[in-house]
Amino acid sequence: MPSSDRFTLLRKLLKALGLKAQAVDEIVDRIIEMLSAGSKEEAAEVYPYHLRDDFLTPAEHSFYLVLRQAVEDWAVVCPKVSLGDLFRVKSSDYGQYRTYTNKIDRKHIDFLLCEPGTVRPMAGIELDDKSHQRRDLQARDEFIKHVFEASGLPLVRVRVRRSYAVSGLRAGLRSRLGIAEESAVAPVA
């Protein structure tokens, strides 16, 4: 809409005060600029982000608590780690680099076990519920399995259960990762 057609009532008031048409146009143009600048500044300052109430699902949270007990102090448990933060694409071909980077973007692993001192990844853990029977999730799971295999990082799949035995989970993880069970009796020096 042309500025001459905007603010008709304001224009009439300014003319009634004795301002010439050119002065009225300049005042209206300044008002329009101030209004548009104000709305742009306000729009730029709006951040529509809110804290999620569901960072971990109830099943993930339940498993997380048991997993922390199972790994004791031999691993750090990191929930929901982005594959893009965990893996990188090695390719001198930029097109291939972008293609494979895009394939891991917006995907995450449910849990990552890391060495406590170095935070070096030890293994990924995927918690499988009924949704993993869907065809689209099976294709995603297969893709993630291949990504882990290609990197040499173990991937452990765990079915969702109502409860977990800490000792069984601990033994299974140690076995899968080749970590010897600590003896209950400390060696005598």
Side-chain angles (χ1 to χ4, degrees):
M1 173 184 286
S3 63
S4 61
D5 296 338
R6 299 174 102 189
F7 301 100
T8 310
L9 181 59
L10 177 61
R11 287 177 183 285
K12 288 180 181 178
L13 285 172
L14 292 172
K15 285 181 183 176
L17 291 173
L19 295 173
K20 295 186 180 202
Q22 184 179 356
V24 170
D25 287 340
E26 287 177 14
I27 292 171
V28 170
D29 288 341
R30 283 187 188 173
I31 291 172
I32 291 170
E33 285 176 20
M34 288 188 312
L35 290 174
S36 17
S39 65
K40 286 178 187 173
E41 288 172 6
E42 289 172 17
E45 293 178 17
V46 172
Y47 297 95
Y49 302 103
H50 299 276
L51 184 62
R52 293 180 67 121
D53 293 332
D54 59 349
F55 177 67
L56 294 178
T57 66
E60 289 169 338
H61 184 254
S62 172
F63 182 75
Y64 170 76
L65 296 175
V66 174
L67 182 58
R68 281 189 36 214
Q69 291 177 33
V71 300
E72 299 170 316
D73 61 352
W74 57 265
V76 174
V77 179
C78 303
K80 292 199 178 183
V81 175
S82 164
L83 294 186
D85 289 336
L86 187 56
F87 303 111
R88 65 185 175 92
V89 176
K90 282 177 125 178
S91 177
S92 58
D93 179 328
Y94 182 75
Q96 186 180 40
Y97 169 81
R98 281 293 359 131
T99 298
Y100 284 96
T101 298
N102 289 341
K103 286 184 176 206
I104 61 174
D105 280 352
R106 295 182 311 275
K107 287 184 176 64
H108 72 272
I109 190 77
D110 291 326
F111 299 97
L112 182 69
L113 298 182
C114 298
E115 294 174 358
T118 62
V119 195
R120 181 172 171 75
M122 299 168 64
I125 299 177
E126 270 291 273
L127 194 56
D128 292 343
D129 59 11
K130 290 179 184 178
S131 70
H132 286 261
Q133 295 172 359
R134 291 186 355 220
R135 188 172 297 206
D136 61 326
L137 282 184
Q138 288 174 349
R140 176 200 173 274
D141 289 347
E142 188 69 16
F143 171 76
I144 289 175
K145 177 183 108 177
H146 290 299
V147 170
F148 272 79
E149 286 172 352
S151 74
L153 187 64
L155 176 63
V156 179
R157 302 200 78 80
V158 177
R159 287 190 171 234
V160 170
R161 298 198 167 111
R162 286 188 185 268
S163 65
Y164 304 89
V166 173
S167 59
L169 181 59
R170 179 183 303 122
L173 288 171
R174 283 182 171 274
S175 172
R176 177 73 167 83
L177 300 178
I179 300 171
E181 279 289 331
E182 295 176 5
S183 61
V185 179
V188 179

